[in-house]
Amino acid sequence: MAMEITQFLLAAQSADAKVRTEAEARLRQFQEQNMPVFLLSLSVELSNDDKPVESRRLAGIVLKNSLDAKDAIRKEQLVQQWMAIDISIKSQIKDSLLRTLGSSVPEARHTAAQVIAKIASIEIPRKQWPELIGSLLNNMTQQDNPAALKQATLEALGYVCEEISHQDLVQDEVNAVLTAVVQGMNLAEHGPEVRLAATKALYNALEFAQTNFENEMERNYIMKVVCDTAMSKEVEIRQAAFECLVAIASAYYEVLEPYMQTLFQLTSNAVKGDEETVALQAIEFWSSICDEEIELQEFESPESGDSGPPHSGFIEKALPSLVPLLLETLLKQEEDQDQDDTIWNISMAGGTCLGLVARTVGDAIVPLVMPFVESNILKQDWRCREAATYAFGSILEGPTVEKLSPLVQAGLDFLLNTMKDGNNHVKDTTAWTLSRIFELLHSPASGFSIISPENLKRVVGVLLESIKDAPNVAEKVCGAIYYLVQGYDDAGPSASLLSPYLTDIISCLISTADRTDGGDSKLRSSAYETLNEVVRCSNIAETSSIIAQLLPVIMNKLGQTMDIQIVSSDDREKQGDLQASLCGVLQVIIQKLSSTDETKTIILQAADQIMLLFLKVFGCRSSTVHEEAMLAIGALAYATGSQFEKYMPEFYKYLEMGLQNFEEYQVCGITVGVVGDICRALDDKVLPYCDGIMGLLLKDLASSELHRSVKPPIFSCFGDIALAIGEHFEKYVPYALPMMQGAAEICAKMETADEEMVDYGNQLRRSIFEAYSGILQGFKTVKPDVMLPYAQHLLKFIELVSRDNQRDESVTKAAVAVMGDLADALGSNIKLLLKDCLFYDEFLCECLRSDDEQLKETAGWTQGMIQRVMVL
């Protein structure tokens, strides 16, 4: 029996904090005492048209939040909680919600549609609530049902399709849903509210329409209705119809040929003359077509030696009309779009689409765009100059270097001069275009660069002058410097070309990071990211003294952050962001200077002070810093080696905090990586801390709260610890090995249709093999027999993986290596096990045929190890 909760729901929204707190506590108490009746009471409240709108609104929100959550673990708990409710109460709740779809209050109908979908997402995949689709369709087929009920029903159908998978419905149900939705879009029969709900529902149902799109008659009908709807007089309906067309372009690209003429006309009219919301979707349609064709070009080679593209070539065919259409959009800029990165308008969408077209057709786009560039680049109107520059920058990826090189050579000096243009927009876009040129056409390491030793001085000079410009321009200039220096990374003798300018570049970047006119901290973090790249790509033989001088400057800045006055959480966040940036710079400096024996001493001499700073940063208790400082400490451990031992007593508590940080799982993952760095640095000197570390790692693995992405690194870390402490790892074997075996069994049962799960499975398998390798090598010379009981399970796991064609290269390498480690460590003890294994010959032969030299070498070594065992 439902409870009367109206008063509590109203009081929970009171302006009086005391009243509000008491009401929230009472609602929580009801919830904890009797969850099923509480949910029933909420559904009754929501369905009752005599109740106040405010109490119904909150009832709907609480009901929805009792069924779903963003966090996966919380969501699973809510699902189990719903599943445990008595079937008769669940039926009452569902009936109540279905009735609410006919409510006279729009908000109640809308909420009921959402809650129905949340329940459907739990029940339909479990083959429960089979009558739901029928009930909803029934609302649509009865002629005299009010429009409001039909609108809410279509909304519910759309939400249900969004929540469930296309495998959850049988084809008859899909057909019925599509029929109801497409009929709901009919102009003659329905008003705009119903047609909008139907069009949005179709968008969510398209994933289910695979079979229907294979049938020409059904496909023609759906396409006709969507195209007609795209010409409705209501803007919102047109927008929703174009959103459907974008989804169709992605999902059903291969059957679009007969409709492309109509679709070009529709999208072209929308881009030229419709409201911006509609025009944006029309451009997005062509961007989606580009995405499909780029993907097909990358992953499919043309059949039967035909040199044509492995797709329908819609972009190439539309090129003469499509490119002018997109170029026109570039002239529709907004006055202040250069000041706000979140703005998305028709000129930005057009430029993005133009870039995708360039990637799709390559050289063919150049002669269509260059006349526009040349005719607009010198005009008085800033819009023309900015559009011309944006067009040029947008087509730099796709065409060949041979095609672009003469144009960029001719235009580079002009662009450098344009950095002094009187208009901020033009300078912003010019700096962006320069960064694209340096990213895509400046690679001395591969033998080609648009920048000659002669013009490098001018390029650097212009960039360092322009970095003093308005914050948005300065930020784009940081990007240009970033790609300029990146080009000289690993460039042999060419790398020296940049060395004379390094002091000035570093000095300008530090001044830029110190600017206070940026408003937000975006310019500062760009300046520091660019500084990191400058240090990383510098030629250490020539620049060590410059980087050595930078070290105390950055340490000093990090020290000063401890004195920032913290009054609000905003201050705390700003302090954390600045510390994160500075810790990032220190990490790169440590890595650079410790990469050669001559310069490593600089780090060793400063290590005590650096570590002290990092510990002070941890003392500020900011999670963002935690992450960056932790990474920098990993670099310091690598640099200082066994000397890092003296920092462990003070640092260990922060290591523990990091390993227990389930909330910010990235921090936990980074800390696991740092444990590996410390093991490699300290070897057996890490032993006093291993009980604590292993205890926390095992706890992390057993936790259902910790994000799964942290678990593979933990297994790899077992291998690092075992390598460091050798025979002392024995006491952890009874705990660690069952975890590894359990994870191996999970890998065997993993869903292989889901790409994300395949990736995760590969990470997990590789890390399990790495753990075994480390443990086997750790025991090899002292107690190899400890691992004998686990050898058979490991061999079976390797066999399973060897037969899986979805394993990636890194898994193959790890599997081959661990097989060699097993033979090497256990010797004749596993002779009998290997005799019974028939798979490894074939697996090793496959690896020996690989193009990857490292894999071939590992397979050869493993083969040798196994042969040695077999003749013993």
Side-chain angles (χ1 to χ4, degrees):
M1 178 62 199
M3 298 182 292
E4 178 55 55
I5 56 171
T6 310
Q7 291 318 111
F8 298 111
L9 288 166
L10 290 172
Q13 300 170 74
S14 165
D16 184 329
K18 187 169 181 291
V19 174
R20 201 167 59 241
T21 310
E22 277 178 20
E24 285 168 356
R26 287 301 297 274
L27 287 169
R28 234 184 341 269
Q29 192 184 352
F30 289 155
Q31 193 173 0
E32 285 158 9
Q33 284 172 349
N34 195 334
M35 187 66 175
V37 172
F38 179 66
L39 295 183
L40 177 61
S41 309
L42 291 170
S43 69
V44 168
E45 186 79 21
L46 178 63
S47 67
N48 189 339
D49 274 352
D50 298 332
K51 296 287 186 182
V53 172
E54 294 78 9
S55 66
R56 295 174 76 183
R57 181 190 299 123
L58 186 58
I61 291 168
V62 176
L63 190 53
K64 198 166 68 180
N65 293 343
S66 304
L67 293 161
D68 192 24
K70 281 197 175 100
D71 178 70
I73 292 148
R74 175 79 186 126
K75 184 177 175 135
E76 186 51 35
Q77 289 166 347
L78 295 174
V79 167
Q80 295 311 322
Q81 183 176 277
W82 173 260
M83 296 303 294
I85 294 174
D86 181 82
I87 195 159
S88 66
I89 291 182
K90 282 197 285 200
S91 295
Q92 288 175 65
I93 292 171
K94 291 188 285 195
D95 290 347
S96 200
L97 290 165
L98 286 168
R99 271 200 311 279
T100 313
L101 293 177
S103 166
S104 59
V105 179
E107 199 176 345
R109 298 197 298 271
H110 173 70
T111 305
Q114 288 180 312
V115 179
I116 285 167
K118 294 299 177 193
I119 296 173
S121 74
I122 299 172
E123 296 205 346
I124 288 181
R126 292 172 171 79
K127 303 288 178 253
Q128 296 174 7
W129 209 1
E131 68 279 12
L132 168 66
I133 300 293
S135 306
L136 293 172
L137 292 173
N138 206 23
N139 289 347
M140 295 305 299
T141 48
Q142 290 184 6
Q143 284 297 310
D144 48 353
N145 272 346
L149 172 62
K150 290 187 174 179
Q151 180 206 1
T153 299
L154 286 164
E155 229 181 311
L157 279 168
Y159 289 141
V160 169
C161 289
E162 191 178 9
E163 291 283 348
I164 64 175
S165 155
H166 62 93
Q167 290 117 331
D168 293 328
L169 296 183
V170 297
Q171 191 55 43
D172 285 352
E173 288 176 312
V174 173
N175 294 345
V177 169
L178 284 171
T179 302
V181 167
V182 172
Q183 280 173 356
M185 292 164 75
N186 189 315
L187 180 61
E189 287 180 38
H190 301 291
E193 290 84 0
V194 172
R195 283 175 22 248
L196 178 61
T199 311
K200 287 181 171 177
L202 177 65
Y203 176 83
N204 286 323
L206 281 169
E207 185 197 343
F208 296 72
Q210 192 85 43
T211 308
N212 310 80
F213 264 82
E214 285 165 9
N215 177 315
E216 190 184 353
M217 214 166 81
E218 291 183 39
R219 182 172 71 239
N220 286 342
Y221 181 57
I222 294 171
M223 290 300 290
K224 183 182 182 322
V225 171
V226 176
C227 290
D228 288 348
T229 308
M231 293 184 287
S232 299
K233 67 175 196 291
E234 298 84 359
V235 175
E236 248 193 302
I237 296 178
R238 291 201 301 278
Q239 182 187 340
F242 272 106
E243 283 172 8
C244 288
L245 289 174
V246 172
I248 289 167
S250 290
Y252 303 112
Y253 169 89
E254 62 284 348
V255 295
L256 286 183
E257 180 84 64
Y259 317 106
M260 286 310 283
Q261 200 58 50
T262 308
L263 292 170
F264 183 82
Q265 215 46 59
L266 266 180
T267 51
S268 175
N269 291 342
V271 172
K272 283 175 186 164
D274 210 327
E275 298 285 334
E276 186 171 73
T277 52
V278 182
L280 284 171
Q281 290 304 322
I283 294 172
E284 188 61 30
F285 171 82
W286 289 102
S287 291
S288 291
I289 295 285
C290 287
D291 286 336
E292 292 304 308
E293 297 195 353
I294 290 167
E295 194 174 340
L296 288 163
Q297 278 163 202
E298 282 174 3
F299 297 109
E300 285 184 23
S301 52
E303 302 295 309
S304 66
D306 177 22
S307 62
H311 51 66
S312 306
F314 295 141
I315 297 296
E316 202 174 332
K317 289 170 193 164
L319 217 50
S321 315
L322 179 61
V323 172
L325 180 72
L326 294 172
L327 290 170
E328 279 307 303
T329 66
L330 304 188
L331 292 159
K332 297 179 181 176
Q333 309 95 324
E334 286 173 35
E335 284 290 344
D336 56 351
Q337 72 182 42
D338 55 339
Q339 300 296 332
D340 183 356
D341 279 350
T342 59
I343 284 180
W344 182 249
N345 59 29
I346 193 158
S347 75
M348 298 179 82
T352 303
C353 187
L354 191 65
L356 289 166
V357 171
R359 286 177 56 201
T360 310
V361 302
D363 288 355
I365 197 167
V366 177
L368 293 168
V369 171
M370 286 314 291
F372 176 86
V373 175
E374 287 155 8
S375 65
N376 283 286
I377 198 81
L378 292 169
K379 284 189 180 166
Q380 280 294 299
D381 184 350
W382 72 264
R383 290 178 185 279
C384 297
R385 300 198 305 280
E386 194 275 340
T389 313
Y390 189 21
F392 189 58
S394 296
I395 62 164
L396 293 170
E397 187 178 5
T400 58
V401 169
E402 291 74 22
K403 189 78 174 173
L404 289 172
S405 177
L407 299 170
V408 177
Q409 295 279 14
L412 183 60
D413 202 52
F414 183 88
L415 289 167
L416 293 170
N417 285 332
T418 310
M419 287 308 297
K420 292 190 178 71
D421 193 281
N423 181 274
N424 199 55
H425 277 270
V426 175
K427 287 186 286 190
D428 183 288
T429 303
T430 303
W432 171 78
T433 300
L434 286 169
S435 78
R436 297 260 298 165
I437 288 171
F438 301 153
E439 179 188 3
L440 300 162
L441 296 164
H442 163 56
S443 177
S446 62
F448 173 78
S449 174
I450 211 74
I451 299 168
S452 64
E454 295 73 43
N455 65 8
L456 177 60
K457 184 177 183 180
R458 170 150 160 70
V459 168
V460 173
V462 169
L463 293 176
L464 297 189
E465 190 52 42
S466 303
I467 204 169
K468 297 169 190 160
D469 212 312
N472 61 301
V473 175
E475 193 202 319
K476 303 288 192 310
V477 172
C478 285
I481 296 172
Y482 182 98
Y483 288 115
L484 175 70
V485 299
Q486 193 179 72
Y488 291 109
D489 189 24
D490 289 335
S494 298
S496 302
L497 294 172
L498 198 63
S499 300
Y501 307 104
L502 220 59
T503 307
D504 288 346
I505 292 173
I506 287 172
S507 159
C508 282
L509 287 169
I510 288 174
S511 302
T512 305
D514 288 342
R515 279 171 63 163
T516 53
D517 61 344
D520 60 11
S521 59
K522 201 151 186 282
L523 175 57
R524 189 176 61 205
S525 44
S526 290
Y528 279 129
E529 273 173 42
T530 304
L531 181 58
N532 289 348
E533 200 62 7
V534 170
V535 173
R536 197 182 67 74
C537 300
S538 63
N539 181 341
I540 187 78
E542 297 170 356
T543 59
S544 58
S545 61
I546 301 169
I547 297 168
Q549 284 161 18
L550 178 61
L551 178 60
V553 174
I554 300 296
M555 286 168 66
N556 195 20
K557 282 184 176 297
L558 186 56
Q560 287 166 5
T561 64
M562 313 300 164
D563 305 326
I564 293 174
Q565 281 273 284
I566 306 293
V567 180
S568 63
S569 60
D570 201 29
D571 293 338
R572 169 77 65 209
E573 193 180 333
K574 279 180 182 161
Q575 180 197 44
D577 288 345
L578 180 53
Q579 289 176 338
S581 288
L582 292 164
C583 285
V585 180
L586 281 177
Q587 182 193 347
V588 179
I589 293 174
I590 292 166
Q591 287 167 333
K592 193 71 182 180
L593 290 176
S594 57
S595 64
T596 72
D597 289 338
E598 298 80 49
T599 52
K600 189 185 272 196
T601 51
I602 302 166
I603 294 299
L604 296 179
Q605 283 160 8
D608 289 3
Q609 286 168 283
I610 296 174
M611 191 65 192
L612 194 61
L613 281 170
F614 291 152
L615 293 170
K616 280 185 180 171
V617 168
F618 280 129
C620 294
R621 290 284 192 298
S622 160
S623 64
T624 47
V625 164
H626 220 38
E627 218 167 308
E628 304 291 338
M630 199 52 96
L631 282 165
I633 284 176
L636 190 65
Y638 180 79
T640 53
S642 60
Q643 291 179 38
F644 192 82
E645 184 189 9
K646 63 180 167 184
Y647 309 126
M648 282 301 287
E650 190 58 35
F651 172 56
Y652 179 69
K653 64 179 172 199
Y654 297 114
L655 201 65
E656 274 191 322
M657 276 164 58
L659 292 175
Q660 288 169 307
N661 195 342
F662 288 6
E663 289 290 303
E664 291 145 348
Y665 65 87
Q666 294 94 332
V667 176
C668 188
I670 285 165
T671 311
V672 171
V674 171
V675 170
D677 293 333
I678 290 169
C679 288
R680 285 185 284 280
L682 297 186
D683 286 329
D684 58 357
K685 287 179 181 167
V686 77
L687 193 56
Y689 306 95
C690 282
D691 282 0
I693 289 171
M694 280 300 294
L696 289 169
L697 292 176
L698 289 163
K699 205 169 169 182
D700 285 351
L701 280 177
S703 164
S704 59
E705 284 173 54
L706 182 60
H707 194 274
R708 69 177 190 211
S709 66
V710 183
K711 299 197 173 179
I714 291 176
F715 286 119
S716 302
C717 195
F718 285 172
D720 295 330
I721 294 170
L723 263 177
I725 63 173
E727 63 185 303
H728 301 289
F729 193 81
E730 184 177 1
K731 63 174 167 181
Y732 308 124
V733 166
Y735 308 99
L737 267 292
M739 287 277 196
M740 286 155 60
Q741 291 179 330
E745 273 148 36
I746 288 169
C747 288
K749 299 187 190 111
M750 251 180 206
E751 177 61 60
T752 53
D754 180 349
E755 212 172 303
E756 218 175 281
M757 282 312 281
V758 170
D759 282 349
Y760 177 66
N762 278 326
Q763 289 168 27
L764 195 53
R765 294 186 297 189
R766 185 185 70 229
S767 66
I768 295 166
F769 288 142
E770 284 171 355
Y772 272 114
S773 276
I775 296 168
L776 285 161
Q777 288 171 34
F779 284 135
K780 182 178 128 180
T781 54
V782 277
K783 287 187 173 176
D785 294 358
V786 172
M787 290 301 289
L788 204 52
Y790 306 98
Q792 188 168 10
H793 192 282
L794 172 56
L795 279 168
K796 278 208 162 55
F797 183 42
I798 298 170
E799 178 172 7
L800 192 78
V801 170
S802 74
R803 300 201 189 295
D804 178 9
N805 56 8
Q806 287 187 311
R807 63 183 145 87
D808 66 21
E809 195 88 316
S810 67
V811 174
T812 307
K813 282 180 188 168
V816 171
V818 78
M819 200 151 57
D821 288 325
L822 188 67
D824 186 25
L826 299 186
S828 59
N829 290 325
I830 57 157
K831 191 172 179 178
L832 285 172
L833 281 178
L834 285 170
K835 264 202 175 118
D836 295 339
C837 276
L838 303 172
F839 78 91
Y840 67 83
D841 269 341
E842 190 185 327
F843 183 38
L844 287 173
C845 285
E846 176 204 318
C847 297
L848 288 165
R849 285 194 302 270
S850 166
D851 296 335
D852 186 312
E853 287 305 319
Q854 200 190 351
L855 178 56
K856 276 206 282 210
E857 197 181 314
T858 308
W861 174 78
T862 296
Q863 198 173 43
M865 285 297 150
I866 291 174
Q867 282 166 354
R868 203 183 72 186
V869 166
M870 299 317 269
V871 298
L872 284 175

